[in-house]
């Protein structure tokens, strides 16, 4: 109970009784199956690709300006500790739609199709009378862009799509990206429309057109899934080179610190010279500072998109009865630990922005520190719609946290990533992320695990896995990790067919493979 009031106190204290009744009313409102159409809120879910948790103005970023994301945080609630349970596009997106871990929904890479037996939460919203639309990047099952279950309206593109179909329209030149497609948009499975302009702006315009043409009084659910800011980063021309003189605000590479380097796993040290390392990033010689500048510039059109949707809600009078949820599908590294991209269990990879605005029930400017994740999105939005989430979902509704940040909640979050033949640089990972400590366990490699005290060492530089002072903690966290895996039927490794090309090369002039450190010698 949110309010601890005895029967005697209730009879004596009018205000305590009133608060209790309000709490019970809210609980009933959001767990009933019989909400009328005018009681159910509209929902807009905005997903940004590869958006780091710290790259927004209100987070104190040194130069990026995101006034519309800042507005969401100012008028809504920011989860400061939001994560994905797998830091990779397709698995994360499947977890958002199903409320399940990757080991349960089976989408463990960016190539294999989504199992047909899965239920997506928009299907359940449809059954409750919602009008639903998906607009943007689907990216599950390789180059799939056919309409998917749960959506009345569909506008998507194959694979990664492209920022511009005509590269000459951009002054910023990018590299080849696997699964890029210039085939345009698939509209509802019966029409293909060419992409004419910048992808972020077109997706926003298609979203606004759908909203403008809604009929009747039924509530709506819009899922706007941006391509941006996926690498290679190509900003809108109005934003190109805005940050060309800004410095990379990242300095976490420990290559020349022997004590730190020797405490790290061998795979991390060797990944420096790989497609996902700073020495041979995407098989090129990236200027990481310039690359980060382009990334921030690419995010600006996403912020414009948030602003355009909020303006429509204001004009239409629907802002107060619409849940707007903004999030990323995973993080991104720009040289931390000598790495780029994602997949690993470091904070920069698995941590995401998550903001929710709903003026009817959320006090503006609220901040919650509880550990929430992408698997919590489906049960939360079903809860908001007055539905009980299915029991097979691994996530939980975080709506109680919106009302009281002290509500009972998980103390640890499970993270997993399964080795990909396409990108063999990163091993299978299981991790347990707590409020203070993170335990990372690697599977199938001759290497060492990791333990970090995030309170004393937020940059995850000092691996404590060999520390005698932490032996008991490591044992307990290992036990908790396997308990969580067993509880969610994750105590076996899923195996998928080989699809797509392999990216296994190293630069001939780059770093040589490192040898085993002294703590391996006996």
């Amino acid at each position: 109970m949110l309010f601890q009031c005895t029967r005697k106190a209730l009879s004596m204290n009018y205000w305590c009784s009133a608060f209790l009744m309000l709490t019970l009313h809210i609980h009933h409102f959001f767990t009933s199956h019989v909400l009328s159409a005018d009681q159910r809120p509209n929902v807009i879910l905005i997903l940004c690709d590869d958006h780091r948790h710290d790259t927004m103005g209100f987070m104190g970023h040194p130069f990026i300006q995101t006034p519309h994301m800042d507005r969401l945080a100012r008028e809504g609630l920011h989860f400061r500790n939001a994560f994905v349970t797998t830091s990779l596009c397709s698995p994360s997106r499947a977890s958002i739609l199903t409320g399940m871990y990757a080991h349960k929904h089976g989408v463990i890479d960016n190539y294999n199709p989504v199992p047909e037996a899965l239920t997506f939460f928009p299907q359940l919203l449809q059954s409750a009378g919602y009008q639903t639309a998906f607009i943007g990047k689907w990216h599950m099952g390789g180059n799939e862009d056919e309409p998917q279950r749960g959506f009345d309206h569909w506008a998507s593109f194959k694979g990664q799509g492209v920022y511009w179909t005509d590269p000459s329209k951009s002054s910023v030149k990018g590299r080849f990206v696997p699964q890029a497609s210039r085939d345009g948009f698939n509209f509802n499975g019966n029409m293909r429309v060419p992409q004419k302009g910048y992808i972020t702006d077109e997706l926003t315009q298609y979203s606004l057109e759908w909203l403008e043409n809604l009929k009747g009084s039924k509530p709506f659910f819009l899922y706007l899934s941006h391509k941006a800011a996926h690498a290679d980063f190509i900003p809108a021309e109005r934003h190109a080179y805005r940050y060309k003189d800004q410095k990379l605000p990242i300095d976490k590479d420990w290559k020349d610190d022997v004590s730190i380097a020797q405490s790290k796993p061998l795979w991390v040290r060797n990944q420096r010279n790989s497609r996902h390392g700073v020495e041979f990033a995407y098989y090129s010689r990236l200027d990481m500072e310039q690359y980060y500048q382009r990334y921030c510039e690419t995010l600006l059109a996403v912020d414009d998109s948030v602003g355009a949707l909020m303006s429509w809600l204001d004009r239409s009078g629907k802002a107060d009865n619409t849940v707007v949820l903004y999030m990323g599908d995973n993080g991104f590294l720009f040289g931390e630990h000598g790495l780029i991209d994602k997949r690993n269990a470091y904070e920069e990879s698995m941590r995401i922005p998550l903001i929710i605005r709903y003026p009817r029930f959320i006090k503006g400017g609220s901040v919650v520190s509880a550990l929430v994740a992408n698997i919590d999105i489906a049960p939360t939005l079903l809860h908001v719609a007055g539905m009980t989430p299915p029991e097979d979902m691994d996530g939980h509704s975080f709506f109680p946290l919106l009302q009281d940040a002290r509500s009972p909640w998980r103390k640890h979050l499970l993270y997993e990533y399964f080795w990909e033949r396409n990108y063999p640089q990163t091993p299978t990972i299981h991790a347990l992320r707590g409020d203070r400590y993170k335990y990372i366990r690697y599977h199938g490699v001759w290497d060492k695990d990791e333990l970090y005290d995030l309170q004393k060492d937020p940059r995850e530089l000092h691996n404590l896995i060999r520390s005698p002072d932490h032996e008991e903690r490591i044992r307990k966290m290992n036990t908790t990790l396997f308990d969580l895996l067993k509880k969610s039927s994750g105590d076996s490794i899923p195996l998928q067919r080989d699809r797509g090309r392999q990216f296994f090369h190293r630069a001939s002039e780059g770093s040589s493979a490192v040898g085993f450190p002294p703590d391996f010698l006996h």
Side-chain angles (χ1 to χ4, degrees), residues 259-267 269 437-442 445-453 461-475 515-522:
S259 63
I260 293 178
Q262 289 189 344
S263 78
K264 295 290 182 177
L266 298 178
W267 77 263
R269 299 173 66 187
Y437 291 94
K438 181 192 292 182
Y439 168 65
I440 309 174
R441 179 187 184 275
Y442 298 108
V445 290
W446 186 9
D447 216 332
K448 68 177 72 176
D449 298 329
E450 296 179 90
L451 176 74
Y452 294 102
D453 182 342
L461 298 178
H462 305 286
N463 185 8
L464 303 173
I465 201 68
R466 299 284 199 251
S467 169
D469 295 339
H470 293 280
E471 286 180 356
E472 180 64 15
R473 174 171 288 107
I474 293 167
R475 186 190 67 78
F516 289 102
D519 59 342
F520 270 79
L521 303 179
H522 184 67

Side-chain angles (χ1 to χ4, degrees), residues 135 201-214 222 224 304-305 307-313 315:
I135 296 175
D201 296 341
E202 284 206 21
L203 295 178
T204 303
Q205 186 57 40
Y206 286 140
S207 298
L208 293 172
E209 290 175 2
W210 181 75
L211 290 170
E212 289 283 1
N213 289 302
L214 286 173
L222 169 63
L224 171 54
D304 289 347
S305 177
L309 290 170
M310 290 303 300
S311 294
W312 183 87
L313 289 173
R315 293 193 309 272

Side-chain angles (χ1 to χ4, degrees), residues 55-99:
T55 316
M56 295 173 288
F58 75 90
M59 289 294 289
H61 193 275
F63 58 82
I64 197 170
Q65 297 173 316
T66 55
H68 305 297
M69 296 177 196
D70 296 354
R71 176 190 171 183
L72 286 183
R74 186 172 61 252
E75 298 178 0
L77 183 146
H78 173 230
F79 285 99
R80 70 167 80 233
N81 287 309
F83 299 87
V84 293
T85 50
T86 301
S87 182
L88 185 60
C89 289
S90 297
S92 179
R93 289 158 191 267
S95 290
I96 291 169
L97 283 166
T98 64

Side-chain angles (χ1 to χ4, degrees), residues 141-365:
N143 284 326
E144 177 68 54
D145 70 356
E146 288 298 312
Q148 299 290 324
R149 50 198 179 275
F151 298 102
D152 303 314
H153 179 71
W154 179 268
S156 187
F157 47 83
K158 295 178 180 178
Q160 296 287 1
V162 289
Y163 286 101
W164 295 95
T165 54
D166 181 358
S168 68
K169 292 185 177 181
S170 173
S171 59
V172 178
K173 304 307 175 187
R175 62 177 177 87
F176 166 78
V177 176
Q179 297 184 331
S181 170
R182 290 178 168 79
D183 289 348
F185 299 98
N186 181 334
F187 269 79
N188 296 315
N190 53 33
M191 179 171 58
R192 187 162 289 280
V193 177
Q195 178 183 334
K196 301 181 180 66
Y198 185 66
I199 188 69
T200 306
D201 296 341
E202 284 206 21
L203 295 178
T204 303
Q205 186 57 40
Y206 286 140
S207 298
L208 293 172
E209 290 175 2
W210 181 75
L211 290 170
E212 289 283 1
N213 289 302
L214 286 173
K215 306 296 183 184
S217 59
K218 294 170 62 176
F220 64 79
F221 168 66
L222 169 63
Y223 187 175
L224 171 54
S225 177
H226 282 295
K227 169 185 171 56
H230 192 279
D232 211 8
F233 314 121
I234 307 293
E237 275 300 281
R238 62 186 179 277
H239 302 136
Y241 303 105
R242 176 175 296 186
Y243 297 133
K244 63 183 178 62
D245 297 322
Q246 299 295 338
K247 299 298 181 183
L248 178 69
I250 293 167
D251 182 21
K252 301 183 183 180
D253 189 358
W254 33 254
K255 178 184 179 183
D256 298 323
D257 189 319
V258 175
S259 63
I260 293 178
Q262 289 189 344
S263 78
K264 295 290 182 177
L266 298 178
W267 77 263
V268 174
R269 299 173 66 187
N270 282 321
Q271 196 175 109
R272 294 183 60 88
N273 183 2
S274 78
R275 185 176 177 83
H276 291 155
V278 291
E279 293 183 11
F280 202 28
Y282 303 126
Y283 296 166
S284 66
R285 301 294 184 270
L286 280 182
D287 180 327
M288 205 56 62
E289 187 165 87
Q290 184 182 87
Y291 205 54
Y292 186 75
Q293 293 165 357
R294 299 295 88 78
Y295 171 76
C296 291
E297 292 161 0
T298 303
L299 282 170
L300 297 181
V302 178
D303 189 67
D304 289 347
S305 177
V306 173
L309 290 170
M310 290 303 300
S311 294
W312 183 87
L313 289 173
D314 291 337
R315 293 193 309 272
S316 65
K318 299 181 184 297
D320 287 346
N321 193 41
T322 299
V323 176
V324 179
L325 193 153
Y326 179 90
M327 66 181 297
D329 69 340
N330 47 247
F332 203 89
L333 294 97
F334 285 92
E336 297 95 336
H337 313 286
L339 310 180
I340 65 162
D341 211 80
K342 53 243 182 186
R343 291 174 170 82
N344 55 70
Y346 295 128
E347 292 288 279
E348 298 85 5
S349 171
M350 63 183 286
R351 200 167 178 179
I352 59 169
L354 180 58
I355 315 167
I356 184 168
R357 180 187 186 274
Y358 186 23
R360 288 178 60 185
F361 286 95
I362 298 175
K363 179 182 178 181

